Amino acid sequence: MDGFTVLADPNRRRVLDALADGESDVGSLVERLALSQSLTSKHLRVLRDAGVVTVRVDGPRRVYRLNDRPLPDVIAWITPYYRRWSRGLNRLTELLEQEKDDAE
């Protein structure tokens, strides 16, 4: 499954957002996201299979965390746009600072 398909599901994005705050076990995610345990586990399995999250066993619990470098296809696609937008925003900042200096 490619990164775009992984991100297409809003519940998977919610799981990723929750894991952005730090690692979590399934029970905590179920409580935090108000999803069923089976649905949460299903989404975690998809995310794990796609390499977006990793899992470690801690006694009876499975603890999930974001992978350090997930979704390379999404990163590769968005990078040129990000660079273009950043250049535009940097130029806007320069113009606003210049305008502010001229007004003083």
Side-chain angles (χ1 to χ4, degrees):
M1 179 177 301
D2 73 3
F4 297 98
T5 304
V6 169
L7 294 175
D9 186 281
N11 284 321
R12 281 196 289 270
R13 292 193 306 268
R14 291 178 60 211
V15 171
L16 290 174
D17 289 343
L19 292 174
D21 294 336
E23 65 181 23
S24 182
D25 66 1
V26 177
S28 297
L29 289 170
V30 165
E31 186 176 308
R32 181 173 177 181
L33 302 174
L35 296 173
S36 70
Q37 189 277 331
S38 61
L39 186 59
T40 303
S41 293
K42 173 188 161 195
H43 288 304
L44 286 166
R45 184 173 40 256
V46 170
L47 293 168
R48 188 186 67 231
D49 290 348
V52 180
V53 300
T54 58
V55 62
R56 69 178 169 81
V57 177
D58 183 20
R61 302 178 324 139
R62 293 185 180 273
V63 180
Y64 292 84
R65 65 181 220 119
L66 290 178
N67 190 348
D68 291 334
R69 195 161 179 268
L71 305 173
D73 50 346
V74 175
I75 302 289
W77 181 79
I78 197 70
T79 297
Y81 296 98
Y82 176 78
R83 286 184 184 137
R84 181 182 176 131
W85 294 326
S86 292
R87 283 192 304 266
L89 291 173
N90 289 341
R91 181 67 181 131
L92 176 60
T93 300
E94 291 170 10
L95 290 171
L96 290 172
E97 287 176 4
Q98 183 180 9
E99 188 175 288
K100 179 182 169 189
D101 291 342
D102 291 345
E104 291 177 351

